Structures are given as structure tokens and as C-alpha cells.
Amino acid sequence: MKGKWKMYLILFLPWLSVGKLGKNSFLRFLPTIIFSDLIIALISELSQKLKWWKVRNPIFPKLATDVSFVFGPFTIINFWVFKMTYKRFWLYLLSNIFADYLFAYPLTTIAEKLGIYKMVKMSRKQLFLLSVAVAILNYLYQKVFVEPLKRKTS
């Protein structure tokens, strides 16, 4: 537990905002968020094998997926970006580019200085591009799979 308090904060603090999302938005985007979390978990598995980054003091050290990031800020930011921008692709994309840039550059620098994680064999530019690619994949998943299915069941 010692040294993991930062990871628990990263996991739980973002969830304090979920009540403001609204039940309909939460349920509407939940399938895509689960899909996105799965993609990020798979990328995390790859990152361990390819040594893209190293998370210090993970909550579950035996898992390659860092639960605190995947199910904390990534999940909640995804919900909020979808709620505020869905059906306006360019706004969605710009919002993700902005958030992904902040994550890849200043937030990663801060995280490294705080000893939360360290980039190893992946550059910040590669992290940024990978994050934007995942965002586009998420949008396509929502538009092509989730929304049509929702219309059929309504």
C-alpha cells in the first residue's frame, strides 16, 4: 500500500464527476467506453512487452494494464468528451487532440517528476499519435456499432 496512494487518487478522483454526466449519457456511451478501456488495456499489455513505458507502484503489480489510469482518468475523460462533443466529429477530434497533447507532453513530464510512470521506448509524439488514433477508433465504434444498435432496440 505504501507508495500506491497516488495511484488510488488517480483511479478514484475522476469518478467524483460521474454524477454530473447524467444517467442517459452514462448509459448511451458506456459500450464505447468499455470498448475503449479494452483497447487501452491491450495497448498496456503491448507496452509491457515492448517496454514503451513503466508504471511505478501500480495497484496490481502482476497486471500489465495499469488499472488506475485505464479505469480512472481515461474512462472518465472519455465519457465527458463524448457527452460534450458527440455528433460533432471535428469538435470531438479537436477536444481529443487537445487532451491527448496535454497528456503526452506536460502531464507526462509531471507524472515522471512525481515518480508515477516513465516513458521508456515510446516517444511523447508516438504516445500522442497513438492516443489520437484510439480516439478516432472510439468515435467510429460509437457511430458504426453502438448508435445503430440503439436505434434498433428503441
Side-chain angles (χ1 to χ4, degrees), residues 115-126:
I116 296 171
Y117 65 89
K118 179 178 174 51
M119 299 304 292
V120 181
K121 291 185 177 179
M122 179 179 274
S123 71
R124 284 168 168 68
K125 182 179 181 182
Q126 290 168 322

Side-chain angles (χ1 to χ4, degrees), residues 99-109 124-125 127-128 131:
D100 294 339
Y101 180 85
L102 287 177
F103 170 63
Y105 292 94
L107 293 177
T108 290
T109 300
R124 284 168 168 68
K125 182 179 181 182
L127 179 62
F128 169 72
S131 299

Side-chain angles (χ1 to χ4, degrees), residues 23-32 82 86-87 141-154:
K23 181 181 175 184
N24 290 339
S25 292
F26 184 83
L27 294 175
R28 177 182 186 187
F29 300 119
L30 184 60
T32 299
F82 267 104
Y86 186 66
K87 292 198 175 178
Y141 184 83
Q142 179 73 25
K143 187 163 184 66
V144 173
F145 295 106
V146 176
E147 292 293 318
L149 188 63
K150 190 182 111 190
R151 274 183 249 133
K152 283 182 183 178
T153 60
S154 296

Side-chain angles (χ1 to χ4, degrees), residues 2-14:
K2 184 182 176 187
K4 292 186 182 189
W5 66 271
K6 294 175 200 171
M7 304 312 275
Y8 282 104
L9 279 177
I10 290 168
L11 174 61
F12 291 114
L13 279 179

Side-chain angles (χ1 to χ4, degrees), residues 20-133:
K20 300 282 183 195
L21 277 170
K23 181 181 175 184
N24 290 339
S25 292
F26 184 83
L27 294 175
R28 177 182 186 187
F29 300 119
L30 184 60
T32 299
I33 303 308
I34 292 169
F35 169 77
S36 180
D37 287 351
L38 177 62
I39 296 298
I40 294 170
L42 292 171
I43 290 169
S44 295
E45 293 294 323
L46 270 176
S47 79
Q48 185 180 43
K49 302 271 189 267
L50 301 172
K51 297 180 180 15
W52 287 342
W53 57 78
K54 173 74 175 133
V55 177
R56 297 183 180 140
N57 295 315
I59 293 174
F60 300 107
K62 301 216 185 252
L63 289 178
T65 300
D66 183 56
V67 172
S68 57
F69 289 103
V70 175
F71 300 110
F74 292 130
T75 295
I76 302 307
I77 289 169
N78 248 339
F79 269 122
W80 279 106
V81 170
F82 267 104
K83 178 182 173 75
M84 294 186 297
T85 66
Y86 186 66
K87 292 198 175 178
R88 297 172 300 207
F89 177 73
W90 293 109
L91 182 58
Y92 172 84
L93 185 59
L94 285 172
S95 298
N96 271 285
I97 287 170
F98 178 73
D100 294 339
Y101 180 85
L102 287 177
F103 170 63
Y105 292 94
L107 293 177
T108 290
T109 300
I110 292 167
E112 286 182 333
K113 287 181 181 176
L114 292 174
I116 296 171
Y117 65 89
K118 179 178 174 51
M119 299 304 292
V120 181
K121 291 185 177 179
M122 179 179 274
S123 71
R124 284 168 168 68
K125 182 179 181 182
Q126 290 168 322
L127 179 62
F128 169 72
L129 294 173
L130 180 62
S131 299
V132 171

